[in-house]
Amino acid sequence: MHLPFARIEKMPLSEIVPLDQMPLGTRCRVLSMDEDSESLLRLMEMGLIPGVEITIERTAPLNSPFSVRLPGCTLAIRREDAERVLVRPLEENKG
Amino acid sequence: MAVLSKLPHTAGTVKHRLIAIAGNPNAGKTTIFNALTGTRQKVGNYAGVTVERKTGKLELPSGEVVEVVDLPGCYSLAARSPEEQIAHDVLLGEAVGEQRPDKVVVVLDASNLRRNLFLATQLRDLGVPLVVALNMMDIAHEKGMEISSEKLAAALGCPVVPLVARKGEGIENLLAELEDVPCNQCNCTGVPRFIDCLPSTLEKPVQILTEGLSSSHLTDAETARSEALWLLISTLEGDDPAKITPAKVALARRVLHESKLSTRQVRAIETSARFRYLKDLMTAANAVEQDLPHRLTALLDRALLHRVLGPILFLTIMAVVFQSIFSWATPAMDGIQVLVDKLSIVTNQSLPDGLFKQLLLEGIISGVGNVLVFLPQILILFFFIGLLEDLGYMARAAFLMDRLMAKAGLDGRAFVPLLSSFACAIPGIMATRTIAARKDRLVTILVAPLMSCSARLPVYTLVIGTVFSANQHVLGVFTVGGLVLLSMYLLSIVVGVTMAAIFKKTILKSPPPPLLLELPTYKLPSLKSIMLNLMDRAKLFVARAGTVILAATVILWGVMNLQLHPVDTSAFDKARIAARSNPELGNNGYEKALAKINCQEAAFKLEHSLGGRLGKLIEPVIAPLGFDWKMGVGIVASFAAREVFVSGLAVVNGVNDGNENTSSLREHLQADRNPATGAKIYTPLVGISLMVFFVLACQCMSTVAIVRRETLSWKWPIFMISYMGILAWLGAFAVYHGGKLLGFS
Ligand SMILES: Nc1nc2c(ncn2[C@@H]2O[C@H](COP(=O)(O)OP(=O)(O)OP(=O)(O)O)[C@@H](O)[C@H]2O)c(=O)[nH]1
């Protein structure tokens, strides 16, 4: 919805990953998220919106929730919500 | 005359102007509220909901006295938890019985400016007269953000006051600005609002809806458009449509339908577009956000949220909290007991004998004692909760526990209330307020009294000491007593978790609420805030639950002391006379004989009191559990507080030493035999059955009182007594008969 689909389609598929699949510690950019989920809408209001750059910091002991650092704050995201957030790792991780 | 003329005409009904403090959770609202109002605060509830309402008085530099209200924190006006709903309703003048604020202070965390501006600009769009309190400037500075409040003010079009509220910096300026803001009119003019630059997908529906609504509004164009946008976001959720007229709802639905959008889509578009708009606004204010981790926080989190170390540290911290409610409160509780006893003695000496004196002594004074005795535990628990909350640790605790608690259908924030309930369910239930979702909070409240609280310990101690050789060693280091005790605690946990899961799937069915958890930076706590909060807790408990507990104590005293028919106690008087005139006894022997007669008389009176009759009345009900009528009396008496079971049992057995640790009552019980069969009454099986009954039954009127207060209805406390009563009966029945079938006795 926010990122024109044409642009998403042009990216190599391997670069678009659900947030929960990313290794801990990676920095990535949020591409899109399921807007029909109340939890994700609430997370959007807390600042997790498409376009924002985030760092996946860690997970809690039972592998959920994740803690994700945004510019300005750190949020907790449950695994089942993270599955519905698509991200792309930033170049800097590869360096 | 001159003095008189200064009095307002409407003396007695003067309405002060109202200033509301709004902002994101943790932005520092309460700190600013405390700085403004000091100790002139009042805590109450909003009409019909259990959301706390904090107000206070403030004198502006001009001498005008205004009322200040501290609103619950929220991230967006579209949010839907009860707290957030109240914040929204008050701000827009829609809350029942609440005055619309004349001015609003919106508190922003400068170190997380963009997210905090989100709410501020939503309010600005709606034409609310704003003063922006740019708080936490110290943290923003540490993070390397240099925010110019002048530029931000210019970009926002309303006054911006930089503050470090915890140190009191900037409060003076805030006061001055508050004075200057005109009441009830939008002061954010001359700058483009978000509502003026909507994305094209929203522009059309908002335009159509504004036109459709226009006839009923006298507000300016921007505000009218904002209200239309607001309506598009709020209508279809159907949570609380009562406040919006059906005509408006229908209109908004039609507009949404025509533009092929859903409420959620509008919300998502609005959110993203507003954040984009804020980026430009922040650039204009020269406030670029730094994505650097807070050093200290990153360091501490590496340990406190570590996969292995984190839970260990969490359990250690919880152990300290638990231990302190469990044992540090004891001296204070003993102190209160001593004071109450002193008061009893003084009253006893200064009043003539009679029913009134007895009522005063055993009903009212001990009732006051019953209320006050909870205060140490409540204060200690809330001190720790306040401290951990202020430090920023409570959010981490919820983070660590979320998955585990979710498996039982509970919120991550339910852990601390449930753990505290092992000391006492009263503070535990009071602490469930941090759970946002109403149904989840109810589930937690309903199972909290199943946690084996410290008032059950005397009962376990007495029963274990009576029916087992408690000190006998098994498996090397363990003793029989210790193992039995441990199994009672385990039983309470297993049943509690199971019941929570059942409630969550049946009567309190609800989807798991979204996890709205921010992990704030660690901060030094402010003792002043914690202490003010403690005073609120204490006042609330005494004023609200205290009255019910006091009344119940008096009623229970009546039940245990009043006879339906006059009973003949002349036999005891005769026995006393006989003892006095018996020369063989001597002084010492006379005292002993007299004490014995008094005990017998007390037992006789109790047997014939309403409570005694109740005990006998319920005997057929409890007989299948292996209990006799004397235990029935004890169970009736224990409704005052579980530990009263011990002293009740002592009185009804005519033992004058009602202490679970000394041998006299224990020996008496061990010797107690069924008059019909001559068999021992207190067998190990009956003992376990009795303890299981105590684990599961809700025999605590203070718990009932607090649940009534926290749920604002009698429905839930009554449900709680019933379900726990049934559970207790079934549990004890299963133990007794299962045990018998297996050949135990
Ligand atoms: N460093 C710093 N800390 C502050 C400042 N103002 C408040 N705090 C701290 O921030 C924390 C949160 O403050 P509160 O006043 O409880 O925040 P709130 O907005 O009322 O929070 P909720 O009631 O949870 O919505 C507390 O630990 C305060 O001591 C400040 O200007 N600088």
Side-chain angles (χ1 to χ4, degrees), chain B residues 24-31 73 135-136 138-139 163-166 390 523-524 526:
Chain B
N24 283 187
N26 261 311
K29 293 177 299 300
T30 308
T31 312
N135 195 29
M136 313 248 180
D138 53 337
I139 297 183
L163 292 115
V164 182
R166 207 159 56 94
D390 246 28
K523 298 190 182 69
L524 273 181
S526 137

Side-chain angles (χ1 to χ4, degrees), chain B residues 552-606:
Chain B
T553 309
V554 173
I555 293 173
L556 205 67
W557 171 84
V559 168
M560 301 315 285
N561 283 279
L562 299 184
Q563 282 88 26
L564 289 180
H565 309 290
V567 289
D568 179 17
T569 53
S570 57
F572 298 101
D573 294 332
K574 274 187 205 136
R576 270 189 280 260
I577 293 166
R580 183 183 299 169
S581 49
N582 185 345
E584 283 167 32
L585 281 174
N587 231 352
N588 220 342
Y590 170 64
E591 292 285 321
K592 268 191 191 153
L594 199 63
K596 197 170 170 205
I597 295 168
N598 285 343
C599 281
Q600 284 167 344
E601 185 179 359
F604 178 79
K605 276 188 174 162
L606 181 57

Side-chain angles (χ1 to χ4, degrees), chain A residues 72-85:
Chain A
C73 66
T74 304
L75 300 179
I77 306 179
R78 289 201 180 117
R79 181 166 287 274
E80 53 270 33
D81 294 327
E83 283 167 5
R84 288 181 293 173
V85 177

